[in-house]
Amino acid sequence: MAETCDILISGGGVAGLTAAAAFGAAGFRVICVDPAPPVTDRHAEGADLRTTAILQPGRALMDEAGLWDHLAPFATPLQVMRIVDAGGPDGTARVIRDFDAADISDQPFGWNLPNWLLRREMVARLRALDTVDFRPGTATRRLVTRTTEALVGLSDGGQVRARLVLAADGRNSPMREAAGIATRTRRYGQTALVFAVTHPIAHMNVSTEVHRSGGPFTLVPLPDQDGHPSSAVVWMEDGHKARALMALDVPDFEAAMSDRSAGLLGPLRLASPRQAWPIIARTAERMTAQRLALMAEAAHVIPPIGAQGLNMSLADLQCLLDLARAAPERLGDPEMLDSYGRRRMMDVQLRVAGVDLLNRSSMLPAQPLRDLRARGIAALHDISPIRRGLMGLGLGLK
């Protein structure tokens, strides 16, 4: 006999766990499943060493979900976004522009946290919610939908009847595929190298993005490590070059990354293992099906630029949560899902296109085009209304 709940969440990554906490805190009965138990220790095999910047609107949602009190002690504020062009012939920093959150807000742009730590604290929050049943080690297998409910088959042989199925199960979403929703994929031939570093110069809560060619090299503030200033690095490069970099021994890799950072924080020292992630852009052709809503990477995948990834996912969640609380009796019905698709699809398409443009500009190999990019960075910063408008757009402020 099938179990019943209001919402079955397929996927227990950061987005899925946040959704479980948010809907559970709002009083909905939630079952959240994921095929793999979350890795919640930085040093454990399989730990996700990437970091995520939670922007201002995302923090408000984390507060609603009862998550922010768990996360705040570990969060590093991001007060300034520094954009650097080092695309000249000698690779030095020739254009540096600071986008300061104080121009538009009395809060930082956002707060940076390691992904493994996000999972740890979110799982702790779910344990305190009697409305949420989190089942790591269980996957979704089958989806059958009817007018009033969805029936989901699980890998443990069980079945769940839910008014809404929320697919937060990644770029290869099994629930999206079960619903027959097609995707459009763009491949860049890039790989993102992800790791942590220490450096002699303090980051001062400044996130620094260095553009040369191949993709941006981004240093995002972390708490000090062993008494030294520390940052998370996302280094996007051509796939062939990225593989060669991954094969370097530590001293040679440290020399390469210090050079690629334009020396802005002094010599960088590797402070974690290196991980490599392929870079693609992917969007679902629609964000809903009968009794099913897609969110996060099941709906949209973008390159890691401008802290847009998780924050687009949180915007999906906020929209769904607002609709569900406004009319709980319509949870998962056609009217609710049509509203969700209309509200989110245009924003998703605009942000995917914007990040695609930024990524392509960061990859430019030709010197004249890199020179044009440097002038563009300066112009966008130096015209105050444009600068403030871009910062507000990036935050998703209304």
Side-chain angles (χ1 to χ4, degrees), residues 42-300:
R42 178 178 184 270
H43 301 289
E45 183 177 354
D48 185 349
L49 300 180
R50 295 174 297 176
T51 65
T52 294
I54 297 171
L55 301 182
Q56 288 180 21
R59 174 181 166 170
L61 177 57
M62 296 288 181
D63 261 330
E64 287 185 61
L67 288 167
W68 189 247
D69 286 345
H70 289 257
L71 301 175
F74 310 102
T76 304
L78 305 177
Q79 181 64 34
V80 173
M81 300 294 186
R82 177 169 291 159
I83 307 298
V84 178
D85 188 276
D90 60 0
T92 59
R94 57 178 179 171
V95 173
I96 300 176
R97 292 293 187 273
D98 286 354
F99 294 79
D100 192 329
D103 276 0
I104 59 170
S105 173
D106 59 359
Q107 296 185 67
F109 285 114
W111 296 263
N112 197 47
L113 293 123
N115 284 6
W116 63 266
L117 187 144
L118 282 168
R119 287 181 170 86
R120 185 188 75 190
E121 298 305 315
M122 289 175 173
V123 169
R125 166 60 176 157
L126 295 187
R127 291 194 192 105
L129 286 169
D130 58 11
T131 50
V132 177
D133 182 0
F134 176 46
R135 302 181 187 178
T138 303
T140 50
R141 288 283 187 256
R142 297 173 305 282
L143 174 68
V144 178
T145 60
R146 302 184 177 93
T147 304
T148 59
E149 66 180 10
L151 181 65
V152 180
L154 304 178
S155 60
D156 61 5
Q159 296 186 95
V160 175
R161 296 184 187 277
R163 297 164 64 198
L164 173 66
V165 176
L166 183 51
D169 43 8
R171 59 184 64 188
N172 299 314
S173 166
M175 288 293 94
R176 185 188 66 219
E177 293 183 5
I181 298 175
T183 61
R184 295 183 294 273
T185 301
R186 181 174 297 146
R187 303 186 186 279
Y188 297 95
Q190 290 170 295
T191 296
L193 306 185
V194 180
F195 48 92
V197 297
T198 58
H199 36 80
I201 300 173
H203 51 61
M204 304 300 291
N205 295 335
V206 175
S207 179
T208 302
E209 195 171 278
V210 184
H211 294 262
R212 190 179 291 173
S213 64
F217 182 101
T218 306
L219 295 131
V220 188
L222 288 175
D224 288 359
Q225 186 167 326
D226 299 326
H228 300 285
S230 181
S231 296
V233 174
V234 179
W235 182 357
M236 292 168 59
E237 262 299 353
D238 170 80
H240 294 293
K241 185 171 181 180
R243 286 190 289 274
L245 288 165
M246 286 289 287
L248 293 176
D249 61 20
V250 170
D252 287 342
F253 186 78
E254 289 180 338
M257 66 182 180
S258 296
D259 174 73
R260 183 62 182 81
S261 72
L264 293 169
L265 296 179
L268 305 182
R269 295 289 175 261
L270 195 62
S272 77
R274 291 167 271 179
Q275 294 180 340
W277 298 81
I279 300 299
I280 64 169
R282 176 175 292 165
T283 52
E285 291 189 348
R286 51 195 171 94
M287 295 186 68
T288 66
Q290 188 177 54
R291 292 286 160 180
L292 173 73
L294 308 184
M295 68 168 287
E297 289 200 341
H300 40 74

